[in-house]
Amino acid sequence: MHAGSPNSSLLMLQAFKRDYGNTPQYSGPKLSIQEAREIQENARGRINTIIEKISCPNMILSAESISTFRQEEHEDLRDFFAQYFSELKIYIYLRPHKSRIESAFQEILKTRYRGLEQQFILIFEKAIAKIDAVYGRDQLNISKYCRSNFTDSDVVSDFLGQLGLTRTEHVSEGENVSLSLPAIQLLYIYRKHFPGTDKNDSNRVKKLSKLTGRPFHLHSDLFQRLLLTKEGDLEWLKRRAGISLHEDIEEHDSYSIRNEADLINISNETLGWLKRQQRGWFRPTKSLGNSTSSIAKGVRSLRA
């Protein structure tokens, strides 16, 4: 359904989140009741148009934001799509907590600022119980997100395989671009100075994706400060779905991020890369040092 975009998360928020104007994804002025209603009606109209153009009996919708819905919002979504389809099935891929936070942090930075030490609430029981109640337990399929378990390390092929489908030349999807630690460092500094959404965000991220380096990992001490969960939640998930998300949280501690000072400590190699993208005007000299404002302006000028 999302036709070239990585997913339809924003569209689902606009169409079904009853307090969309209070979500982190919305950065405009406070919405009146009428304005919020118009955003919702326009979003649902766009979905209706997309569905009408589909010539096959099935539709695949990718939208991670659905996991944040309250039960009544799930009910709104279910009732809307029930007008068009006889059955709704939910497929969820779950990462271990630490991997989930590391992935979510960089995805958020691609569109807006989030402080490194802002906590994440991850309670599988709470989220899954709402889905079970609205769509039915038998309509929910839960898998562990683990690239090494997927054919060609490809989650899309794994998902299609669960549907009895194979990837063909007619199957295409936008992909979330994975960033290296140096790229995330630059993006974080940029977001601290320019926290809002910008029309060139996607091009900027594509450019940063070309900056190579080691992967981004949180130190186990920082991770434990960031995670807000419910005691016994992983055990509940294992009973409910038959999968284990236990992980070695200290595996990458020797080269991980402990605090914001680590994250904004930009190497000379990274500064050199940024300089080469500026066609000469941005010069990280000794007098400039690690000025975060200058680095942020340099990142702001990036184009794919």
Side-chain angles (χ1 to χ4, degrees):
M1 172 178 165
H2 45 283
S5 299
N7 57 61
S8 297
S9 280
L10 180 59
L11 183 59
M12 291 301 103
L13 289 174
Q14 293 171 337
F16 302 107
K17 196 72 175 155
R18 295 188 179 185
D19 59 346
Y20 169 65
N22 295 325
T23 64
Q25 290 79 7
Y26 178 76
S27 58
K30 183 175 177 59
L31 295 172
S32 67
I33 295 177
Q34 180 60 31
E35 288 171 332
R37 185 179 295 115
E38 289 176 357
I39 288 176
Q40 183 179 84
E41 290 175 352
N42 288 337
R44 294 187 182 190
R46 288 162 58 195
I47 297 171
N48 179 72
T49 299
I50 292 170
I51 293 174
E52 289 180 344
K53 293 180 179 179
I54 295 175
S55 58
C56 57
N58 300 312
M59 182 183 78
I60 296 173
L61 168 66
S62 173
E64 189 174 353
S65 62
I66 292 173
S67 65
T68 68
F69 282 12
R70 298 189 295 268
Q71 183 161 328
E72 61 268 25
E73 293 162 343
H74 278 294
E75 291 169 352
D76 290 345
L77 184 152
R78 177 199 62 195
D79 295 344
F80 177 86
F81 282 102
Q83 301 174 82
Y84 306 96
F85 301 98
S86 59
E87 183 180 31
L88 297 177
K89 294 189 73 69
I90 312 294
Y91 290 81
I92 300 178
Y93 285 86
L94 297 177
R95 296 175 184 261
H97 283 149
K98 187 168 179 287
S99 173
R100 167 65 179 134
I101 290 176
E102 290 166 348
S103 174
F105 180 70
Q106 72 162 284
E107 289 304 314
I108 291 169
L109 286 182
K110 291 175 184 178
T111 58
R112 65 186 187 278
Y113 174 71
R114 182 185 178 99
L116 176 65
E117 302 219 14
Q118 186 175 341
Q119 292 180 307
F120 285 82
I121 302 174
L122 296 177
I123 304 176
F124 293 126
E125 181 178 0
K126 181 178 179 181
I128 292 171
K130 288 183 292 187
I131 296 174
D132 280 345
V134 174
Y135 305 96
R137 184 185 176 102
D138 293 340
Q139 299 303 103
L140 177 58
N141 184 290
I142 303 172
S143 301
K144 180 178 180 179
Y145 185 96
C146 180
R147 287 183 177 272
S148 62
N149 292 342
F150 304 149
T151 301
D152 297 326
S153 300
D154 181 14
V155 66
V156 175
S157 292
D158 184 82
F159 166 67
L160 292 175
Q162 293 195 53
L163 302 181
L165 303 174
T166 56
R167 184 190 288 272
T168 72
E169 61 184 2
H170 302 295
V171 177
S172 63
E173 76 289 328
E175 296 183 356
N176 289 330
V177 178
S178 181
L179 300 177
S180 66
L181 171 60
I184 292 174
Q185 289 180 295
L186 292 179
L187 185 58
Y188 183 79
I189 289 174
Y190 164 73
R191 284 295 177 204
K192 288 207 71 170
H193 290 268
F194 303 100
T197 300
D198 181 87
K199 64 180 181 180
N200 292 313
D201 278 343
S202 60
N203 286 331
R204 194 169 290 115
V205 169
K206 287 178 182 178
K207 190 71 172 182
L208 286 170
S209 70
K210 299 174 183 177
L211 175 56
T212 59
R214 70 190 188 201
F216 168 72
H217 289 293
L218 300 170
H219 191 275
S220 58
D221 291 342
L222 175 57
F223 159 70
Q224 290 179 88
R225 296 200 303 272
L226 296 183
L227 176 64
L228 290 178
T229 189
K230 177 182 178 182
E231 184 176 357
D233 194 47
L234 293 183
E235 287 71 24
W236 178 90
L237 179 66
K238 189 170 184 178
R239 293 193 301 271
R240 165 64 181 85
I243 61 174
S244 174
L245 294 186
H246 287 284
E247 59 187 324
D248 179 4
I249 65 172
E250 298 178 353
E251 180 181 2
H252 307 292
D253 275 1
S254 62
Y255 57 95
S256 56
I257 298 297
R258 294 174 177 269
N259 48 44
E260 187 178 70
D262 282 352
L263 193 57
I264 64 174
N265 183 19
I266 306 300
S267 70
N268 290 332
E269 290 79 9
T270 299
L271 286 174
W273 178 88
L274 185 59
K275 176 183 177 181
R276 292 192 295 275
Q277 314 310 309
Q278 310 306 313
R279 299 181 181 177
W281 75 265
F282 176 73
R283 292 184 287 277
T285 62
K286 291 183 178 180
S287 60
L288 174 63
N290 281 10
S291 165
T292 58
S293 62
S294 295
I295 292 171
K297 291 175 183 176
V299 176
R300 189 184 191 189
S301 71
L302 293 177
R303 299 291 185 273

